[in-house]
Amino acid sequence: LYHAISLGIAGDLSQSEHLRQLAATVIYENKDHFAKFGNVQRSIKDALSVTAWGDEVHIQALAVGLGRNIFQFGSFKNKMGVFVPPENYTPNQLESSFQNRELGTTHHFNYQPRNGVYNFRPLAIVLDQSHFTCLRLRHNVPKFIPHASIINPP
């Protein structure tokens, strides 16, 4: 998960550790909200462990922390049931297909920042069997630069 999101925001894996820290911080700072989804301490521990995989709670925390929608697609099949590589679509086409349930994208989720505040274009990931993969969309993605105050609070 963290590698996929890092690829989406930075174009490489360099931000994976920072994203783990960001997810843990967001979960900690919003304990009451995240307690609805399970054990908060376990979610924080998993976010900080490089041996643990991220799950839906961590995707939601990253959406909040990054101020970006994160679309998770489940499949990409055209009307004939044939797989179509998602990177062949523009961000607008993916967003439209997501909203209209087109292109075989029927098993998908939209993780949103709280209060509907979106700072950037959405990120798109797909769950490919057991791993998340970034959908490298055809547009220029601004680099993510972590702020020390978010990652290492005073």
Side-chain angles (χ1 to χ4, degrees), residues 41-79:
Q41 292 303 318
R42 175 69 179 189
S43 293
I44 292 170
K45 181 180 176 185
D46 286 349
L48 295 173
S49 171
V50 296
T51 60
W53 294 12
D55 60 16
E56 292 82 3
V57 171
H58 301 108
I59 300 172
Q60 181 61 51
L62 290 171
V64 171
L66 295 170
R68 296 175 83 154
N69 275 22
I70 299 176
F71 292 132
Q72 178 192 334
F73 292 94
S75 65
F76 287 93
K77 294 183 180 175
N78 63 20
K79 292 180 182 177

Side-chain angles (χ1 to χ4, degrees), residues 122-138:
L123 292 168
I125 57 175
V126 64
L127 183 58
D128 182 19
Q129 298 191 9
S130 62
H131 290 82
F132 288 102
T133 303
C134 171
L135 301 181
R136 303 299 301 270
L137 305 177
R138 295 182 296 174

